[in-house]
Amino acid sequence: MKSLSYLNKYFIKYKWRFLLGILFIVISNYFGVQMPLYVKTTIDSLFVENPINGIQDALILSLKIGGVYMLLSLGSGFFLFLTRQTIIIMSRLIEFDLKNEIYSHYQQLDATFYKKNTTGDLMNRISEDVGQVRMYLGPGLMYTINLIALFGLVVFQMIDISPSLTLFVLIPLPIMSFLIYKVSSKMNQLSTEVQKEQSMMSTIVQETFSGLRVIKAYSKEKETHAKFNESASYYKNKSMKLVFVNALFMPTIVFLIGLSTILTIYLGGLKTYDNSISLGGILAFILFVNKLTWPFASVGWVTSIIQRAAASQTRINEFLRTEPLVKNPTTTPFVFKGKIEFKNVSFTYSNSSIQAINNLSFTIHPGETLAIIGRTGSGKSTVIDLLMRQFDIDSGQILIDNQELKEINLSDFRDQTGIVPQDVFLFSETIADNIRFGATNDEITTEQIETSAKKAAVYDNIVAFPDKFETLLGERGVNLSGGQKQRVSIARALIRNPKLLVLDDCLSAVDTETEEEILSNLKNDQNLRSSLIVSHRISSLRNADRIIVLQEGTKVEEGTHAELIALKGHYAEMYLKQLTEESSEDNG
Ligand SMILES: Nc1ncnc2c1ncn2[C@@H]1O[C@H](COP(=O)(O)OP(=O)(O)O)[C@@H](O)[C@H]1O
Ligand SMILES: [Mg+2]
């Protein structure tokens, strides 16, 4: 339960709504309690002062009772409406705030966190867990306050009529609360299982859709169907159980309400012998008991809501307390001049214990292009991740313009960098939006978008589409080829006029001719201070100022293209191999 105290700050934020809501609940219940009291006084007066004389009297009396009852109901209902307008709306506002808080925290966390948590978990935090918490903030609180207000008002009146009868008729109510708590907990548990299985089923279906070609090619339809069928049967069985428990719910309540009513009539009837209760008193009691049953029923339900909310909030808190490993250390502006230095840098991935970088040193001077070449898994992408501070290094130093990377303004540095990752990611938006995404300011002209597309040698491809730059990408739109995606991604990096350009093997699906065009466009870029090009293809980097050959995280060779060829080491070997491959491709 302690976890829910995290939400107190929101109660303070919305205190007026909350207090008003409590006031409305009390007023609504006040009207509600007047109804049985009115019935009591009217009925009692019939027997004492003015008994009914003829049909006319009876008609007037019933009209009077009906009218007053209606007015009181209207009053009670109106304030109930206001209660919902305040408390339920407050719960929605807090839900909104909490979702935003979680979302902005997601964005601060780094790659290590995302390696540890699955997408499903992260989605659950922001949708399901917040939903559970909202149930506590809205209905949970509303029914609890309602019960307290009503109980206070009603019990006071009941004791006034007959203290001993009050005691007897109230006994079944807590028992009912407990039973309903048990039933709701079971229902919640089952519905969680049903929901889980449902998302399992959607995952299976989704994978079937996206892997349809593979499934058909391997003629695995039967197996896939069997897998789906298994999940669907499990879902069916759990749902049946849920229906069964659900079906028990209402009868239990109705039975217990009936029990209370019968008890009231029986015991009340006994009491009329010695005139310790009037007929109107018994009637008022029955009405009071009926009023109390629903709120008492809700106790059980609310208890299980609160338990679930507490569990959800514990998960949310746990995650909100996760500190990002990489933090921006300063707000001092940083202007990049072009020098990058790695000094004896080593790095091991904590989750896989793979030492990806081993005692690596290199320097990029202002105006230079450094290239890194190496096999898959040699640590090239890790170098880039370390440079962009996705992870912090274990030992050694990374210096940017002779300052420790850890000490400079990280967001400024990232703002001045254009990075094209190895696995390009494009949003399901238009091509123009995807390129615009890279911009650091909001005022981007169509011309600027076109210019960067031209530099990335993708302009001609884009204008060939009927919708040109407004072409929609993704599931509902056009699927670009691998090379086109890479080039749109390059255009996205170029539109921010980066001072540092980082290309991570992002020309692999581009033919050599287009690649050369892009590289020569980059050479002429006035704004660029330095570039880091990662590739496993020599054509991409032969013109770089310096080339590093990486092998299992260690630098094994360094030099210009010509120097490395002359060295006749790994680089020269790779070069020869790629030359023969290329010529055999040309011939074939
Ligand atoms: N996020 C990660 N967690 C754990 N190990 C990783 C991670 N990323 C890469 N590695 C490992 O680190 C090594 C270097 O990977 P990487 O830098 O991606 O190489 P390259 O880009 O040269 O293909 C590989 O052995 C890889 O398995
Ligand atoms: Mg890589």
Side-chain angles (χ1 to χ4, degrees):
M1 302 293 133
K2 236 173 76 190
S3 61
L4 290 173
S5 65
Y6 182 80
L7 298 164
N8 290 349
K9 64 174 184 190
Y10 289 121
F11 288 132
I12 292 168
K13 179 171 177 193
Y14 295 110
K15 58 178 176 295
W16 293 119
R17 246 173 238 277
F18 188 43
L19 291 176
L20 218 58
I22 296 177
L23 182 71
F24 290 148
I25 291 182
V26 174
I27 298 177
S28 164
N29 278 309
Y30 180 77
F31 278 111
V33 171
Q34 297 313 307
M35 296 186 211
L37 286 181
Y38 177 70
V39 171
K40 175 180 178 293
T41 30
T42 320
I43 300 282
D44 284 347
S45 73
L46 281 183
F47 291 94
V48 187
E49 299 143 27
N50 33 12
I52 297 175
N53 287 319
I55 183 83
Q56 220 169 350
D57 259 13
L59 201 67
I60 290 172
L61 183 73
S62 44
L63 275 178
K64 214 173 109 192
I65 294 187
V68 173
Y69 223 89
M70 204 159 83
L71 281 180
L72 289 171
S73 300
L74 269 176
S76 170
F78 177 65
F79 281 98
L80 190 64
F81 166 75
L82 291 183
T83 304
R84 291 184 166 267
Q85 284 296 301
T86 45
I87 293 205
I88 302 291
I89 285 187
M90 175 193 78
S91 75
R92 290 289 180 184
L93 290 173
I94 298 181
E95 177 188 28
F96 172 79
D97 289 347
L98 195 57
K99 280 189 175 171
N100 276 315
E101 192 180 338
I102 296 176
Y103 188 80
S104 69
H105 196 73
Y106 275 161
Q107 296 213 313
Q108 283 173 27
L109 292 167
D110 38 61
T112 316
F113 172 81
Y114 286 96
K115 275 275 158 210
K116 276 191 210 143
N117 294 280
T118 66
T119 315
D121 275 348
L122 299 178
M123 299 288 277
N124 274 342
R125 275 319 80 85
I126 208 163
S127 57
E128 253 178 61
D129 282 335
V130 175
Q132 299 290 355
V133 171
R134 189 194 65 78
M135 284 300 282
Y136 151 71
L137 293 168
L141 276 182
M142 190 173 72
Y143 286 118
T144 309
I145 299 168
N146 186 53
L147 176 70
I148 295 169
L150 181 70
F151 191 73
L153 288 165
V154 164
V155 168
F156 184 72
Q157 299 295 345
M158 284 169 97
I159 290 176
D160 196 39
I161 299 171
S162 166
S164 58
L165 193 55
T166 307
L167 198 66
F168 284 119
V169 299
L170 287 186
I171 287 172
L173 295 180
I175 301 173
M176 178 170 79
S177 303
F178 179 72
L179 283 178
I180 288 174
Y181 164 65
K182 282 282 167 209
V183 176
S184 331
S185 303
K186 186 77 197 163
M187 262 161 57
N188 282 339
Q189 180 210 331
L190 283 171
S191 74
T192 311
E193 281 170 30
V194 167
Q195 263 169 18
K196 236 190 218 159
E197 200 54 38
Q198 177 151 23
S199 65
M200 184 74 204
M201 245 161 47
S202 354
T203 310
I204 294 179
V205 173
Q206 205 185 352
E207 286 205 344
T208 312
F209 289 156
S210 44
L212 199 65
R213 281 164 66 187
V214 184
I215 292 172
K216 281 196 183 293
Y218 285 78
S219 58
K220 290 280 182 193
E221 291 96 334
K222 259 198 199 126
E223 284 86 342
T224 327
H225 188 192
K227 206 165 130 193
F228 177 77
N229 190 30
E230 192 187 330
S231 171
S233 333
Y234 186 79
Y235 175 80
K236 183 192 72 187
N237 294 338
K238 284 284 168 198
S239 304
M240 299 283 207
K241 245 191 197 158
L242 183 60
V243 170
F244 176 73
V245 179
N246 244 329
L248 282 178
F249 196 68
M250 271 312 284
T252 317
I253 297 180
V254 171
F255 173 74
L256 288 162
I257 293 179
L259 203 64
S260 272
T261 311
I262 288 175
L263 215 64
T264 316
I265 295 174
Y266 177 69
L267 294 172
L270 288 181
K271 279 182 178 296
T272 50
Y273 276 122
D274 57 0
N275 272 336
S276 63
I277 193 165
S278 66
L279 193 61
I282 297 180
L283 213 59
F285 247 83
I286 295 175
L287 293 173
F288 278 139
V289 168
N290 271 302
K291 269 201 178 310
L292 281 177
T293 36
W294 271 113
F296 264 95
S298 71
V299 171
W301 181 64
V302 167
T303 313
S304 77
I305 284 184
I306 293 179
Q307 276 184 345
R308 274 161 72 108
S312 288
Q313 188 65 43
T314 308
R315 284 194 290 269
I316 294 173
N317 289 349
E318 220 165 74
F319 147 81
L320 284 178
R321 270 198 297 266
T322 314
E323 293 273 336
L325 292 175
V326 174
K327 276 192 226 154
N328 197 4
T330 170
T331 51
T332 320
F334 174 77
V335 182
F336 181 55
K337 299 200 188 62
K339 191 175 176 197
I340 292 172
E341 206 176 349
F342 270 51
K343 271 188 181 169
N344 309 318
V345 170
S346 293
F347 176 74
T348 301
Y349 281 103
S350 54
N351 57 335
S352 62
S353 317
I354 292 176
Q355 178 163 23
I357 299 296
N358 186 8
N359 202 23
L360 178 67
S361 304
F362 63 80
T363 310
I364 310 177
H365 296 287
E368 275 187 353
T369 298
L370 178 87
I372 303 179
I373 192 167
R375 291 210 184 85
T376 320
S378 57
K380 307 182 297 293
S381 297
T382 308
V383 171
I384 291 174
D385 284 343
L386 295 178
L387 176 61
M388 296 325 295
R389 245 195 116 191
Q390 300 288 356
F391 307 101
D392 275 331
I393 53 178
D394 300 334
S395 62
Q397 269 184 317
I398 298 177
L399 301 172
I400 312 292
D401 290 342
N402 301 324
Q403 292 178 62
E404 285 256 13
L405 173 62
K406 266 186 206 165
E407 280 156 21
I408 64 169
N409 189 328
L410 189 59
S411 53
D412 276 7
F413 178 55
R414 285 181 180 166
D415 273 350
Q416 295 166 62
T417 309
I419 177 162
V420 187
Q422 187 168 18
D423 37 357
V424 290
F425 180 81
L426 298 178
F427 296 97
S428 300
E429 291 169 3
T430 63
I431 296 179
D433 285 340
N434 267 291
I435 297 178
R436 192 180 292 118
F437 179 86
T440 42
N441 64 336
D442 298 333
E443 288 138 31
I444 288 293
T445 60
T446 322
E447 211 186 325
Q448 283 171 295
I449 294 178
E450 287 175 3
T451 312
S452 11
K454 278 176 192 160
K455 281 193 211 159
V458 68
Y459 181 81
D460 292 340
N461 297 93
I462 296 172
V463 291
F465 293 125
D467 291 333
K468 305 198 164 48
F469 277 84
E470 293 310 311
T471 305
L472 200 63
L473 302 182
E475 258 186 279
R476 298 231 188 107
V478 170
N479 278 323
L480 297 182
S481 76
Q484 287 168 344
K485 278 188 200 162
Q486 289 186 334
R487 282 174 287 150
V488 169
S489 230
I490 294 173
R492 172 194 284 169
L494 291 178
I495 201 167
R496 59 203 283 131
N497 283 322
K499 292 182 175 166
L500 169 64
L501 185 70
V502 179
L503 306 181
D504 187 359
D505 221 348
C506 61
L507 292 164
S508 58
V510 176
D511 60 84
T512 4
E513 224 168 281
T514 316
E515 178 180 34
E516 235 148 71
E517 185 188 338
I518 298 170
L519 291 173
S520 84
N521 288 343
L522 294 179
K523 263 225 144 26
N524 298 327
D525 193 320
Q526 295 304 312
N527 201 49
L528 268 183
R529 295 289 153 79
S530 39
S531 315
L532 178 63
I533 299 180
V534 161
S535 181
H536 64 267
R537 212 162 66 178
I538 287 181
S539 58
S540 314
L541 37 80
R542 55 194 299 169
N543 292 320
D545 296 299
R546 215 150 348 98
I547 301 165
I548 290 177
V549 183
L550 264 193
Q551 221 171 51
E552 291 175 11
T554 313
K555 181 171 80 177
V556 287
E557 286 170 17
E558 179 170 1
T560 62
H561 177 70
E563 285 165 5
L564 290 174
I565 296 290
L567 197 67
K568 293 201 170 124
H570 300 279
Y571 185 85
E573 193 186 320
M574 268 191 271
Y575 180 61
L576 280 179
K577 213 165 142 197
Q578 289 189 10
L579 267 190
T580 43
E581 271 168 17
E582 239 169 66
S583 61
S584 69
E585 261 167 36
D586 288 348
N587 297 337

